[in-house]
């Protein structure tokens, strides 16, 4: 696709329910990131996927959060037993990896999923 | 841990003014620094990326500079327009530890008045 696609764009859920957020990165981008942006706050790193390597999960705030990336493309972020403090915009980003240097090109972000837990 | 600060948090200027947005970071061991803009309800759009070996990057009316030793970057916007109104964020990528993470500032919300 032309850009990073995220769905749904908005999600309202009741406290205690599970939610699943989806990210479809730009074709050919092997690096994929999930970030969380709370109102008036900077972006908080959640998880990073690079090709077939083990993901960097060091930013996940609790064991209620998990993410997977199937076939090196689409990623889903799952939040179990949602709490009100989980309300935020969840942003996905992808980038190419420059294999000669092993380093990434610019990050490209999706429009995010606004999650509201009532 | 790397900390990124952007001052001011908000800025309002009349159309046509040249302006400078500031980004500072505590650990100078960075690989690159990237500037983004974010429109309300949208994701982040990449504006400029500066590698640590570079001093500046230019794109149209935008110029970003990097002074690694002092832990600072500036984004210069020439001849500002109402369409430039958005939140501008900077992000640094560490050179060594936590290499996969970009650390973001909280942003500067810019309002350009017609």
């Amino acid at each position: 696709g032309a850009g990073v696609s995220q769905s749904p764009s908005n999600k309202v859920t009741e406290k205690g329910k599970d939610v699943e957020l989806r990210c479809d990165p730009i074709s050919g981008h092997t690096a994929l990131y999930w970030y969380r942006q709370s109102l008036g706050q900077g972006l908080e790193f959640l998880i990073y996927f690079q090709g077939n390597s083990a993901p960097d999960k060091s930013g996940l705030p609790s064991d209620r959060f998990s993410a997977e990336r199937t076939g090196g493309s689409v990623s889903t972020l799952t939040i179990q037993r949602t709490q009100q403090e989980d309300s935020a915009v969840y942003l996905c980003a992808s980038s190419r990896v420059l294999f000669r240097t092993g380093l990434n090109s610019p990050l490209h972000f999706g429009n995010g999923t606004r999650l509201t837990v009532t | 841990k790397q900390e990124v600060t952007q001052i001011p948090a908000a800025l309002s200027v009349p159309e046509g003014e040249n302006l400078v947005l500031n980004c500072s970071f505590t650990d100078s061991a960075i690989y690159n620094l990237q500037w983004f803009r974010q429109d309300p309800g949208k994701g982040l759009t990449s504006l400029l990326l500066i590698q640590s070996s570079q001093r500046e990057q230019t794109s149209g009316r935008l110029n970003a500079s990097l002074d690694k030793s002092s832990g600072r970057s500036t984004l210069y916007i020439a001849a500002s327009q109402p369409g430039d109104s958005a939140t501008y964020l900077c992000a640094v990528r560490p050179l060594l530890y936590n290499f996969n993470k970009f650390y973001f500032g909280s942003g500067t919300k810019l309002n350009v008045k017609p």
Side-chain angles (χ1 to χ4, degrees):
Chain A
V4 177
S5 177
Q6 291 188 247
S7 61
S9 54
N10 280 284
K11 176 71 176 178
V12 180
T13 190
E14 292 179 354
K15 177 181 172 181
K17 301 279 190 183
D18 298 351
V19 295
E20 197 171 272
L21 313 180
R22 176 189 167 104
C23 172
D24 198 344
I26 293 172
S27 178
H29 282 195
T30 57
L32 187 147
Y33 298 78
W34 283 97
Y35 280 86
R36 178 167 71 175
Q37 186 176 34
S38 302
L39 189 64
Q41 302 293 314
L43 272 72
E44 175 189 6
F45 169 82
L46 297 177
I47 189 169
Y48 165 76
F49 295 91
Q50 170 51 47
N52 294 322
S53 302
D56 178 352
K57 304 180 182 180
S58 60
L60 294 178
S62 77
D63 58 9
R64 295 187 295 106
F65 288 73
S66 62
E68 62 177 25
R69 188 177 185 192
T70 54
S73 181
V74 172
S75 176
T76 54
L77 176 69
T78 302
I79 309 173
Q80 296 178 309
R81 305 181 302 282
T82 51
Q83 303 294 313
Q84 288 186 327
E85 61 262 28
D86 299 335
S87 297
V89 176
Y90 289 81
L91 292 163
C92 175
S94 70
S95 70
R96 291 190 303 122
V97 174
L98 306 175
F99 286 104
R100 186 177 303 176
T101 63
L103 297 161
N104 292 10
S105 61
L107 287 176
H108 297 266
F109 279 84
N111 285 334
T113 294
R114 181 175 298 276
L115 175 66
T116 304
V117 182
T118 61
Chain B
K1 180 189 169 186
Q2 177 74 269
E3 301 216 352
V4 181
T5 304
Q6 291 186 249
I7 295 174
L11 182 63
S12 185
V13 300
E15 180 177 6
E17 255 195 31
N18 302 325
L19 58 99
V20 174
L21 306 180
N22 297 295
C23 172
S24 61
F25 44 96
T26 54
D27 187 347
S28 62
I30 67 168
Y31 185 74
N32 61 37
L33 182 146
Q34 195 167 351
W35 281 93
F36 298 86
R37 71 173 278 167
Q38 186 175 30
D39 294 285
K42 300 290 187 183
L44 280 68
T45 300
S46 178
L47 297 174
L48 291 164
L49 183 147
I50 312 177
Q51 301 290 359
S52 64
S53 57
Q54 297 174 322
R55 295 300 297 263
E56 65 179 325
Q57 282 284 335
T58 298
S59 176
R61 294 182 295 109
L62 305 180
N63 176 278
S65 68
L66 175 64
D67 183 344
K68 238 184 4 170
S69 60
S70 65
R72 285 191 286 192
S73 176
T74 61
L75 179 67
Y76 175 83
I77 303 177
S80 58
Q81 303 170 357
D84 295 330
S85 298
T87 297
Y88 291 80
L89 296 100
C90 66
V92 299
R93 181 172 193 171
L95 179 62
L96 301 171
Y97 304 108
N98 298 317
F99 183 71
N100 295 329
K101 298 175 186 174
F102 289 78
Y103 289 87
F104 285 81
S106 297
T108 294
K109 187 172 183 179
L110 174 65
N111 178 36
V112 181
K113 298 172 289 187

